[in-house]
Amino acid sequence: KNHIIIGAGILGASTAYKLAQEGENVTIIDRQEPGQATQAAAGIICPWISQRRNKAWYALVKAGAAYYPKLIQDLEKEGESDTGYAQVGALSLHSDGKKLDEMVKRAEKRKLDAPEIGEITRLSALEVQELFPPIAEGLEGVHVSGAARVDGAALKDALLRSAKRNGATIIYGDASIQIDDQGKSSILVDQTRYHADSIIVTAGAWADTLLAPLNIQFNVKAQKAQIVHLELQDQETSEWPVIMPQGDQYLLSFPDGQIVAGATHEDEVGFDERVTASGTLELLSKALTHAPGLSDASVKTVKVGFRPFTPNFLPVIGRLPGHPEILLANGLGASGLTMGPYIGSELAKMALVQDSSIDLSLYEISQAIE
Ligand code: FAD
């Protein structure tokens, strides 16, 4: 069968990878939006200690995190060693020890049906500093050994390379969906028209424009995020854990002194791709408050990406009402690197008319259609 995937972020790349592995005929179209969420994201995989109580959301992030180790192993077997993924553990920090004790309880409870969480360990401020030397003094923590970090751009590229090796084609261009008088859909990229048995829309924050010609008002909102990349000289940082301090900021470490501090949450600014003074100030001041030892790091770059949110901050997955040949997933929001590869594999199953391993009724697309 022929499948066309529109959008090569983490979701489209994962779907393409899976379908190509199954021997399907896959074409991926991407217009290389500079604000693609996936290229900006650097990438905490640690859903278990979140206080968010929405069960439908938790089911996706839990399954998403559990899906990773096998995926990475499979990619490595193919020779893809640069996936940007490492299970370095995560350290959640707080100045109030009681909050950390509650976190341990929450995590232990969730571990009962999520053994991938690994070891949950309460750490003193000194132990925290040993694991992450630049951190501020006096912060105790909870360490979760099963947590990981992933570089979204590196993983997406590895998935696309694998898909290509298995026969997929990538076209860089702006796609639109058209429906003819007989109700048959096709895809137009520049002047070329493509037909497919299934059209899979993984267009992130831009999906509404793609569906507008079908008279579908798709409710996706873009949330702008800025994220700063720092470099520490002469430090071996590849094994440093993900740091999740109090509040909405976090710090991730990659090999060769690379530290990533993110991210801003900017609503209602549209697709403004600029790095702003206030965004950079917020990122750096929070990073240095949490980790004063970063004050001498070099500033390498600030990236910008747009998180796609659908109503109630809950992803939607399924076939488009009235257009059964069009499949879509969207709304991966702030946890799309965690759940993206898993949802991609579910989308691939849907395109192959195989049974799903999730309760799809929780994520119906109609929830995001006005
Ligand atoms: P995208 O990655 O945005 O991809 C959509 C693609 O569609 C784009 O490449 C675009 O070019 C293409 N497209 C759109 N319209 C068209 C068209 N008409 N024709 C052709 N192509 C088109 N998640 C985590 O789990 N953990 C984290 O720590 C984390 N941190 C993040 C930090 C930042 C700064 C950001 C921005 C996000 C973060 N996320 C994180 C969230 C995660 O990155 C996103 O949820 C996820 O990447 C969304 O993937 P996507 O494939 O749906 O969309």
Side-chain angles (χ1 to χ4, degrees):
K1 275 194 166 172
N2 267 323
H3 309 272
I4 291 187
I5 299 172
I6 307 176
I10 190 66
L11 192 51
S14 309
T15 313
Y17 164 81
K18 203 71 199 170
L19 283 172
Q21 259 192 345
E22 298 281 331
E24 297 288 294
N25 205 329
V26 182
T27 305
I28 310 147
I29 304 166
D30 193 275
R31 68 174 184 214
Q32 298 186 289
E33 278 290 342
Q36 182 197 66
T38 302
Q39 56 75 35
I44 306 176
I45 316 284
C46 183
W48 316 282
I49 51 179
S50 160
Q51 295 202 49
R52 188 168 174 194
R53 286 176 189 276
N54 185 300
K55 286 195 176 137
W57 172 81
Y58 182 68
L60 291 179
V61 282
K62 173 178 175 290
Y67 183 78
Y68 258 93
K70 170 84 166 58
L71 171 68
I72 299 298
Q73 214 179 39
D74 289 349
L75 284 168
E76 282 173 353
K77 263 190 222 154
E78 278 188 55
E80 291 295 346
S81 50
D82 182 18
T83 58
Y85 174 89
Q87 210 164 34
V88 291
L91 244 175
S92 195
L93 307 178
H94 213 286
S95 51
D96 179 353
K98 271 198 208 126
K99 293 265 188 257
L100 293 171
D101 295 338
E102 284 164 21
M103 192 181 290
V104 170
K105 276 192 202 139
R106 202 159 55 236
E108 290 289 0
K109 216 164 134 193
R110 284 184 161 165
K111 188 175 169 176
L112 296 176
D113 66 346
E116 56 276 9
I117 210 170
E119 292 304 314
I120 303 154
T121 319
R122 187 77 160 75
L123 298 184
S124 70
L126 272 180
E127 289 168 318
V128 165
Q129 274 193 320
E130 263 166 38
L131 287 178
F132 195 89
I135 206 75
E137 284 176 13
L139 292 171
E140 297 176 26
V142 173
H143 184 265
V144 173
S145 71
R149 50 96 173 137
V150 62
D151 173 345
L155 177 62
K156 171 209 63 168
D157 288 343
L159 290 163
L160 289 176
R161 277 193 301 268
S162 167
K164 265 170 129 173
R165 260 197 311 277
N166 285 307
T169 309
I170 304 184
I171 296 169
Y172 292 106
D174 183 15
S176 59
I177 305 178
Q178 301 194 333
I179 310 280
D180 68 14
D181 296 343
Q182 276 84 50
K184 203 168 159 25
S185 48
S186 62
I187 290 167
L188 205 60
V189 185
D190 300 324
Q191 302 304 318
T192 314
R193 189 174 297 280
Y194 298 87
H195 296 274
D197 298 305
S198 64
I199 298 173
I200 304 173
V201 178
T202 49
W206 300 271
D208 53 349
T209 328
L210 209 44
L211 300 181
L214 315 185
N215 280 329
I216 290 177
Q217 209 181 325
F218 186 68
N219 190 349
V220 56
K221 287 206 163 63
Q223 184 188 61
K224 177 176 173 182
Q226 302 184 56
I227 183 165
V228 62
H229 289 236
L230 305 172
E231 187 178 295
L232 279 175
Q233 300 260 286
D234 306 322
Q235 299 258 18
E236 188 33 63
T237 46
S238 57
E239 298 293 322
W240 285 10
V242 172
I243 299 294
M244 301 193 288
Q246 244 169 293
D248 61 3
Q249 223 208 19
Y250 47 78
L251 296 161
L252 289 91
S253 306
F254 291 85
D256 307 321
Q258 305 299 314
I259 308 282
V260 179
T264 63
H265 296 79
E266 302 168 58
D267 293 307
E268 315 295 344
V269 297
F271 290 104
D272 172 6
E273 287 146 7
R274 294 171 312 126
V275 171
T276 63
S278 64
T280 311
L281 177 66
E282 179 189 335
L283 292 169
L284 289 177
S285 66
K286 284 185 180 170
L288 294 189
T289 305
H290 297 313
L294 295 174
S295 59
D296 191 44
S298 338
V299 177
K300 303 303 281 185
T301 185
V302 178
K303 289 189 179 181
V304 175
F306 297 95
R307 304 182 186 95
F309 278 106
T310 36
N312 302 320
F313 305 98
L314 190 65
V316 293
I317 312 163
R319 288 182 189 273
L320 208 58
H323 300 277
E325 76 287 9
I326 303 180
L327 283 67
L328 175 149
N330 205 305
L332 275 57
S335 39
L337 283 191
T338 307
M339 54 170 94
Y342 174 72
I343 297 181
S345 77
E346 289 298 315
L347 265 181
K349 279 188 196 166
M350 205 177 284
L352 296 168
V353 201
Q354 295 174 353
D355 285 343
S356 171
S357 42
I358 38 177
D359 179 1
L360 289 169
S361 69
L362 298 170
Y363 315 101
E364 274 174 11
I365 294 197
S366 55
Q367 299 177 79
I369 293 178
E370 311 227 328

